Amino acid sequence: MNLQDKVAVITGAASGIGKHIAKVYFDSGARIVIADLDLKAAETAARELDPSGERSMAVAMNVTSEEEVEAGIAAVAARFGGIDVLVSNAGIQIVAPLESFAFADWKKMLAIHLDGAFLTTRACLKVMYAQGRGGSVIYMGSVHSKEASPLKSAYVTAKHGLIGLCKVVAKEGAAHGVRANVICPGFVRTPLVEKQIPEQAKALGMSEADVVKNVMLKETVDGEFTTVDDVAQTALFLAAFPSNALTGQSIVVSHGWFMQ
Ligand code: NAD
């Protein structure tokens, strides 16, 4: 599997899972675009991977902003002459019980996860359809695209929603050779999860060690975290897959936490 000369836009790629996907794609020959809210971190990540800057680009992009997404994707298409892969990955987590979940937090969560996926998809599809060489759209879902946990109402709602969007993109995109799939990781130790451990410990009245062992990893087959590389290798497989046979799917990578 390689992505020689393909152009891949990865949102939220200044950190965590997205950053490692950018590395794996870069190592497989792709030109990579690190699109992130945090431009400084995006530039640092791009420079680390590709000091010459020949096969990389950092773009300031708040995925909830129609203007920033449109401008960012136009800049990518102008610089690299097309887009072959979109990984819609940017995301955050806010945990709270439903009865006290702030409406502003609910809207922020749905905006980043769902508006962000819609806006980046729409902008990239226009480029993919016009260039006529197909493409692959990958959404970063979660086991929470299939399963629920307490305290995560907005996250679970948004991550389930991505599966619906993916299936529509698969149906509409097929005529243009554009595939769409969702990756559903279990817990991965990124800054997003590090922040959650003490928050969940407080909300659930247990120790941080208990949160890891008895909440996050309890249902896995081996008590192990999923790694950024586990997710990135799946993202490579989906990006490089050669036909419409693999589209509209959601693939769970979670040490057996969720089995479908
Ligand atoms: P992370 O916090 O390490 O990285 C998230 C990145 O997204 C950051 O660089 C941040 O600046 C960026 N970002 C946040 N809001 C943005 C916005 N509005 N516009 C553009 N960029 C924005 O988190 P991560 O764990 O790597 O998470 C990446 C994705 O993976 C998220 O969608 C998350 O829900 C999903 N996911 C994570 C886990 C996990 O356990 N870490 C599990 C399943 C799914």
Side-chain angles (χ1 to χ4, degrees), residues 18-29:
K19 185 175 181 183
H20 194 67
I21 291 173
K23 177 174 168 29
V24 167
Y25 280 10
F26 183 82
D27 290 347
S28 78

Side-chain angles (χ1 to χ4, degrees), residues 12 14-17 36-37 61-63 89-92 112-113 140-142 155 159 185-188 190-193:
S15 173
I17 292 172
D36 204 284
L37 192 58
M61 186 188 287
N62 180 344
V63 296
N89 166 78
I92 62 164
I112 294 174
H113 291 275
M140 199 51 64
S142 163
Y155 191 80
K159 291 300 192 190
F187 283 99
V188 183
T190 65
L192 180 142
V193 161

Side-chain angles (χ1 to χ4, degrees), residues 16 35 38 102 119 150 154 165 213 233 236 241 243:
D38 184 342
L119 289 170
L165 176 62
K213 190 160 179 250
Q233 295 302 334
L236 175 62
F241 197 83
S243 79

Side-chain angles (χ1 to χ4, degrees), residues 8-15 18-19 22 32-39 41-43 45-46 57-63 68-69 72-73 76 86-91 120:
V9 176
I10 305 134
T11 68
S15 173
K19 185 175 181 183
I32 49 132
V33 179
I34 299 191
D36 204 284
L37 192 58
D38 184 342
L39 178 61
E43 285 171 343
M57 183 175 175
V59 175
M61 186 188 287
N62 180 344
V63 296
E68 286 185 30
V69 170
I73 296 303
V76 172
L86 165 67
V87 184
S88 171
N89 166 78
T120 51

Side-chain angles (χ1 to χ4, degrees), residues 178-257:
V178 174
R179 299 173 297 104
N181 293 286
V182 184
I183 303 175
C184 301
F187 283 99
V188 183
R189 264 200 121 133
T190 65
L192 180 142
V193 161
E194 294 297 347
K195 175 173 171 284
Q196 239 181 96
I197 296 171
E199 287 172 357
Q200 289 221 36
K202 194 168 165 220
L204 297 170
M206 49 172 72
S207 71
E208 293 187 17
D210 271 347
V211 167
V212 169
K213 190 160 179 250
N214 296 320
V215 178
M216 294 182 162
L217 305 179
K218 183 166 180 239
E219 303 294 337
T220 63
V221 292
D222 53 9
E224 298 280 343
F225 276 100
T226 300
T227 67
V228 288
D229 201 52
D230 296 327
V231 182
Q233 295 302 334
T234 309
L236 175 62
F237 173 73
L238 288 174
F241 197 83
S243 79
N244 272 351
L246 183 51
T247 195
Q249 304 305 307
S250 43
I251 298 182
V252 182
V253 186
S254 72
H255 284 258
W257 166 14

